[in-house]
Amino acid sequence: MGKKVTVVGAGFYGSTTVQRLAEYDVFDTVVITDIIEGKPAGIALDLNQSRPVEGFETKVVGVTTGPNGEGYEAIEGSDVVVITAGLPRKPGMSRMDLLETNAKIVRQVSENVAKYAPNAVVIVVSNPLDEMTALAQIATQFPRNRVLGQAGMLDTARFTNFVAEALQVPVKSVKTLTLGSHGDTMVPVPSKSTVNGKPLREVMPAEQIEDLVVRTRNGGAEVVALLKTGSAYYAPSAAAARMAKAVVEDSGEVMPVCAWVDGEYGISGVYLGVEAEIGRQGVRRVVETDLDADELAALKEAAEAVRAKQADISSM
Ligand code: APR
């Protein structure tokens, strides 16, 4: 059987994710869906016409879906489904302001995914991320390892980029980590961050690290304030597409993702940003790393904040 991935939502995040997935040339089929008549088909047609230029064989299929699940047969047999459906932020909004609107959308999409692609790994990117990931698991009733969210890779990429720019070094020489929620309780982890293998704290003053930590935590809002008409999608789609690739290739890569935490770090029963080994079944295992006392305390605080919100979503 050929490899197949579906991206639900043909907005900025969905369409750029589909482009990246198609250009990897590792899937046989990439399906893109939306409720807007014609838009997914138009994106598919356009992307397929880029194949001779970019040199990939992956076929892109665009399908408009209806309110009662019409069109969802197109996602049958998907190995991975990336859910990007939902509203993005406007300037001044927090991700949490999207909760009720996006909960309705993500629930409806998840129920159709469960029906038509019951064996898929689901990667959620709609915001507020940690809550929407928890909701997708509830609505699909999939095993928790098969539902995960994209946020940590993006937040980590932002942190890495800021550090590389500040020190004027290649991004390749910088490693950073962020854990916790994709929101106010995001936990950038300087103790696990390095530049050319040296601890970040040895090459950058504490105040500057703190400035970059704050900028990372507000990384999405900074883009929203500049774009004014939507939220970020280039870096987010890069992260989501890499996760989908790691799943179909059963790569075992360790990535920062939003995953179900069950005892790691002394935290249980919540979807939270942690590092996890990714493979064909989604999350193979959560990978625990040594944290400073203050970082661990911040992670626990993040867990309690998202736990409180995630308790509300089962009724949404
Ligand atoms: N099924 C499929 N698609 C849907 C549905 C649905 N039930 N409801 C809405 N959509 C589609 C919209 O029609 C739109 O094309 O989701 C798309 C969202 O696209 P954009 O408005 O461009 O938003 P985008 O930038 O792609 O962000 C999507 O990702 O980062 C998060 O906060 C962001 O929640 C937002 C999501």
Side-chain angles (χ1 to χ4, degrees):
M1 267 271 283
K3 293 188 173 74
K4 179 169 175 177
V5 58
T6 291
V7 176
V8 179
F12 287 109
Y13 201 147
S15 56
T16 45
T17 302
V18 165
Q19 180 185 351
R20 294 184 190 287
L21 290 168
E23 289 178 354
Y24 290 156
D25 208 14
V26 299
F27 298 93
D28 294 79
T29 313
V30 180
V31 178
I32 179 164
T33 74
D34 203 289
I35 51 173
I36 300 175
E37 184 58 44
K39 189 172 184 187
I43 289 170
L45 185 62
D46 193 5
L47 274 171
N48 284 326
Q49 291 167 357
S50 77
R51 297 192 308 154
V53 185
E54 282 298 319
F56 63 91
E57 294 296 333
T58 298
K59 198 85 182 47
V60 185
V61 177
V63 180
T64 296
T65 54
N68 300 310
E70 299 90 338
Y72 267 91
E73 0 19 287
I75 79 165
E76 272 170 16
S78 296
D79 301 289
V80 185
V81 176
V82 182
I83 300 179
T84 79
L87 299 193
R89 284 192 275 177
K90 296 198 175 75
M93 281 174 95
S94 90
R95 293 184 180 95
M96 208 48 86
D97 295 333
L98 302 168
L99 184 67
E100 290 193 16
T101 315
N102 284 355
K104 288 197 187 77
I105 295 171
V106 169
R107 177 176 282 280
Q108 190 252 350
V109 168
S110 301
E111 287 170 357
N112 283 307
V113 169
K115 200 162 149 196
Y116 290 93
N119 299 316
V121 171
V122 173
I123 298 173
V124 179
V125 311
S126 311
N127 275 312
L129 189 274
D130 306 277
E131 289 71 18
M132 292 304 105
T133 306
L135 177 58
Q137 192 279 322
I138 291 167
T140 55
Q141 286 293 301
F142 283 1
R144 292 189 171 109
N145 59 288
R146 271 210 282 133
V147 180
L148 60 162
Q150 188 300 114
M153 271 190 87
L154 166 63
D155 298 328
T156 299
R158 285 177 169 153
F159 193 16
T160 296
N161 180 58
F162 291 146
V163 170
E165 278 185 345
L167 296 174
Q168 299 190 330
V169 296
V171 286
K172 269 201 184 99
S173 60
V174 180
K175 288 203 172 35
T176 68
L177 178 62
T178 63
L179 303 172
S181 81
H182 188 49
D184 296 337
T185 50
M186 187 187 300
V187 185
V189 184
S191 75
K192 283 284 162 299
S193 302
T194 58
V195 179
N196 285 319
K198 278 195 185 156
L200 177 62
R201 285 166 172 161
E202 285 179 18
V203 294
M204 192 182 269
E207 280 158 40
Q208 195 180 4
I209 294 175
E210 185 50 29
D211 286 349
L212 297 186
V213 161
V214 171
R215 196 171 173 202
T216 300
R217 208 173 277 134
N218 298 326
E222 188 178 354
V223 176
V224 171
L226 289 165
L227 293 179
K228 298 185 185 69
T229 53
S231 52
Y233 49 94
Y234 287 112
S237 63
R242 286 287 157 180
M243 285 170 64
K245 186 167 180 274
V247 171
V248 295
E249 293 183 335
D250 198 24
S251 76
E253 277 165 89
V254 175
M255 297 173 154
V257 301
C258 177
W260 183 254
V261 178
D262 193 15
E264 295 84 4
Y265 299 105
I267 299 167
S268 287
V270 69
Y271 268 100
L272 188 67
V274 287
E275 284 187 291
E277 198 178 298
I278 305 302
R280 184 64 198 87
Q281 286 307 308
V283 172
R284 285 186 190 167
R285 67 186 183 97
V286 170
V287 177
E288 245 182 290
T289 182
D290 286 336
L291 299 177
D292 282 357
D294 56 336
E295 293 163 346
L296 183 60
L299 186 62
K300 290 191 168 170
E301 201 181 304
E304 292 323 308
V306 296
R307 190 196 305 283
K309 284 284 171 199
Q310 287 176 20
D312 297 340
I313 53 129
S314 53
S315 59
M316 287 186 180

